[in-house]
Amino acid sequence: MKTIRLAVRHERRGGAGGANRRDERGFSLVELLITCVIAGIIFLAMVPLYVNAEKTTSTNNRRVIAAGIAQARIEKIRLLGAVATPTSTSGPTGYAAVNYTNLNSAAFDAGLGGFGQTYTAPGGAVYNVNTTVSDNTPTAPSKTVVVSVNRTGDPIVTSATAVLDNPAAVIVTSTSGTQGVNNPHSLTVSSSKQWQEIKSATVRWYNTATPSVTFTPTPASMSPNAAATSCVWTNLPGGTQFMYIVTVTPQSPSSWGSAETAIPFHLLSNSYEKFDTNPGGS
Amino acid sequence: MRPAVSTLKRLRGEQRGVTMIEVLITMIILGIVSTMIVGIWISLQHSFYFTQSDNTAATTARTAIDRMTSELRDAQAPNTSTTSPFCLTLSSPYVCDSNDITFYSPYNNPAAAGNTNNNTTGIGAAVLQSIYLDTSGTSPEKKLYWVRDTNGNGVIDSGDTTVLLASNVVNTSSTINKPVFQYILHASPNASFVSATSLSSTNVSQVVAVNIELVVDAQIHKTPTYMDLVYTVRPRNVASN
């Protein structure tokens, strides 16, 4: 068989004569073809890598979408959590509706502009939403809510967690006279529970017009007192330039077995008379 | 030519040229190899642009959602005689419906002291602002804008600063058809939650939260790839019915 010599030929520098020429070797066609095949296999092996990179990007973005869905659902459940158990018996709403059965029912967030337990995104990806509820210990009547979301076909589950306080337990209301720096303004921290569950409550107010902070401790009469259900501050300055922050330090009652002190929470008013009723909310 | 060839022949002694077959085979092999390389190059480019536009869309959508939630979370009534943070007195697109939302918010507004509108002093001064989808044009991809009453005249006009929040928003496309904004209403402690796609004087006092959904097409002019983000935000200072 005749071998076709191609391309690169070496010539020894300074060499001369036919003897040296005999060493001269190029690549045979067979060698070149084998090289091509091997290179092809290697390149082909790399193609899935690029395809995979695209898939990874898509998958990651789909997980971002899943995280958004979980967080949105948590916010909706917080809405329920922010509403005290109603007196009506027409059906559970508000905090009373925060339980496993209700939150996983198809009807749950129909009124909240939601999509029940399955969400089909534009493009056809299907996301499954599952909510679990458990009693938070030791700070009952709080509930721990976990929303898990995963896309059909994706083993990774994205979840978001929230702890909901029963809004009936601690409520801040404010009453006031005419708006004005020298007019009296009063704040009331009240609880449907006995006051012994609240170790202390203090109020601070910021004067945003001429920056200053004033701190008022718990009124002496409100030192832990099992019979009381509210804590009242009177004669605070009223006016739109004031921001009020009420800090409440809960204390577990003796019925829970130990006198643990829970983490204080703050109720912030950055608008005249209106309070954030969702303490700890994001 | 001839003298040159003769010179070469003389210099290099007996020397064979390259046959036609060798040239053809060389060209074919080169062709195969270069086609392979170009193919890989093109697929690499495609992969890069896909990843890039997907990430850009994701980032844009996230940033827009972040901005909207930040503003809406701090929405508050502009003064003590107004009970709602939402503004219903302006004309389209500065209204509260499925594509637009108009409200007062003090977020990121430390220099509001110079604002001549309503609540004028302090860091809490609320500024009128609107987030609206520009639905003009026939293209299914729309732009989402955020405009604030930066000149403080109490209305939104050409003197105010407009910021582009997101491009390629396809919420209003006939194949998607999802509202950007939905309003969650709660009339009283005993009522059930209901949602509405627009606000009026009768339901504005019942708003407890706003659903936001933003669908961005990441692969314009190609097979659509959607980045779809949802969020529910509860303005801190709406009525807590």
Side-chain angles (χ1 to χ4, degrees):
Chain A
M1 183 180 150
K2 190 186 176 192
T3 306
I4 302 170
R5 303 282 177 188
L6 284 177
V8 192
R9 292 169 189 250
H10 301 282
E11 247 176 273
R12 279 204 196 155
R13 291 215 170 181
N20 283 336
R21 287 279 164 99
R22 225 170 281 151
D23 288 342
E24 170 195 303
R25 310 217 14 194
F27 297 108
S28 74
L29 180 59
V30 175
E31 287 168 347
L32 191 61
L33 283 179
I34 290 174
T35 310
C36 279
V37 169
I38 291 175
I41 289 172
I42 291 173
F43 283 134
L44 278 179
M46 286 167 73
V47 168
L49 208 66
Y50 300 123
V51 175
N52 219 24
E54 284 181 30
K55 270 190 191 156
T56 308
T57 304
S58 290
T59 305
N60 283 343
N61 281 344
R62 301 298 93 84
R63 286 175 191 163
V64 169
I65 293 173
I69 291 171
Q71 197 57 44
R73 179 60 59 89
I74 282 283
E75 293 291 330
K76 284 175 188 166
I77 295 169
R78 276 188 196 282
L79 286 181
L80 294 175
V83 177
T85 303
T87 52
S88 158
T89 54
S90 61
T93 57
Y95 189 74
V98 181
N99 65 59
Y100 178 81
T101 313
N102 281 332
L103 298 186
N104 282 309
S105 74
F108 156 59
D109 65 350
L112 296 175
F115 38 78
Q117 271 188 280
T118 308
Y119 175 65
T120 306
V126 176
Y127 297 85
N128 307 299
V129 184
N130 186 46
T131 308
T132 61
V133 179
S134 56
D135 285 337
N136 185 274
T137 52
T139 50
S142 295
K143 291 176 179 176
T144 303
V145 181
V146 179
V147 175
S148 308
V149 179
N150 82 305
R151 184 168 55 89
T152 302
D154 183 357
I156 300 293
V157 177
T158 307
S159 63
T161 307
V163 175
L164 302 184
D165 293 319
N166 185 343
V170 176
I171 299 166
V172 177
T173 55
S174 67
T175 53
S176 69
T178 314
Q179 174 193 332
V181 177
N182 297 316
N183 293 330
H185 184 71
S186 74
L187 288 177
T188 303
V189 176
S190 59
S191 172
S192 64
K193 306 294 172 187
Q194 290 186 333
W195 188 247
Q196 66 180 6
E197 288 186 24
I198 296 173
K199 189 182 175 191
S200 69
T202 57
V203 63
R204 278 171 293 169
W205 67 87
Y206 291 99
N207 185 340
T208 57
T210 53
S212 65
V213 181
T214 313
F215 179 82
T216 303
T218 311
S221 62
M222 299 312 302
S223 292
N225 175 345
T229 56
S230 64
C231 183
V232 182
W233 290 269
T234 54
N235 293 321
L236 301 175
T240 51
Q241 72 269 46
F242 292 102
M243 286 167 64
Y244 307 97
I245 294 179
V246 174
T247 301
V248 179
T249 308
Q251 176 176 263
S252 59
S254 53
S255 59
W256 292 357
S258 65
E260 284 182 85
T261 300
I263 300 166
F265 60 92
H266 308 279
L267 297 138
L268 168 71
S269 153
N270 60 1
S271 165
Y272 187 65
E273 285 196 317
K274 289 176 180 170
F275 272 85
D276 180 0
T277 53
N278 187 16
S282 58
Chain B
M1 291 304 288
R2 200 170 173 81
V5 173
S6 310
T7 314
L8 261 177
K9 268 193 170 177
R10 234 183 296 121
L11 278 172
R12 304 189 66 174
E14 184 252 346
Q15 173 80 343
R16 290 183 55 198
V18 184
T19 69
M20 179 66 109
I21 291 177
E22 288 172 344
V23 170
L24 280 180
I25 291 175
T26 310
M27 284 174 70
I28 288 168
I29 291 172
L30 273 179
I32 293 170
V33 171
S34 59
T35 307
M36 235 162 61
I37 290 174
V38 167
I40 288 167
W41 173 253
I42 288 174
S43 95
L44 200 70
Q45 285 282 55
H46 173 263
S47 179
F48 170 74
Y49 284 119
F50 177 91
T51 309
Q52 190 190 42
S53 53
D54 224 36
N55 283 338
T56 306
T59 311
T60 307
R62 268 242 69 90
T63 311
I65 285 272
D66 281 353
R67 170 55 69 186
M68 288 191 278
T69 51
S70 300
E71 297 294 336
L72 268 171
R73 208 186 293 287
D74 276 2
Q76 67 173 41
N79 52 45
T80 49
S81 59
T82 312
T83 53
S84 170
F86 298 99
C87 174
L88 302 176
T89 57
L90 303 180
S91 53
S92 181
Y94 313 123
V95 292
C96 292
D97 61 20
S98 58
N99 295 328
D100 319 293
I101 190 166
T102 306
F103 57 97
Y104 294 87
S105 174
Y107 180 75
N108 196 21
N109 186 36
N115 187 340
T116 55
N117 178 37
N118 294 321
N119 188 3
T120 55
T121 57
I123 57 171
V127 171
L128 179 63
Q129 51 194 281
S130 182
I131 296 166
Y132 66 96
L133 195 67
D134 180 8
T135 52
S136 63
T138 53
S139 161
E141 299 90 24
K142 308 295 186 193
K143 287 186 163 123
L144 187 72
Y145 290 101
W146 172 45
V147 58
R148 307 175 74 195
D149 178 24
T150 42
N151 62 6
N153 61 0
V155 293
I156 290 172
D157 53 28
S158 57
D160 296 324
T161 306
T162 303
V163 175
L164 177 64
L165 284 183
S167 303
N168 301 336
V169 177
V170 290
N171 285 65
T172 52
S173 146
S174 57
T175 53
I176 309 286
N177 201 17
K178 286 175 180 286
V180 182
F181 301 107
Q182 259 185 309
Y183 306 89
I184 299 177
L185 310 177
H186 195 234
S188 69
N190 290 334
S192 296
F193 289 94
V194 292
S195 64
T197 51
S198 68
L199 291 185
S200 66
S201 56
T202 52
N203 65 9
V204 69
S205 63
Q206 301 168 7
V207 178
V208 291
V210 179
N211 278 357
I212 306 173
E213 176 156 13
L214 199 59
V215 186
V216 174
D217 189 351
Q219 306 290 338
I220 291 293
H221 310 311
K222 293 203 178 122
T223 311
T225 305
Y226 299 113
M227 190 66 205
D228 172 30
L229 289 179
V230 292
Y231 210 82
T232 300
V233 57
R234 179 166 184 241
R236 286 187 193 282
N237 295 294
V238 290
S240 48
N241 287 328

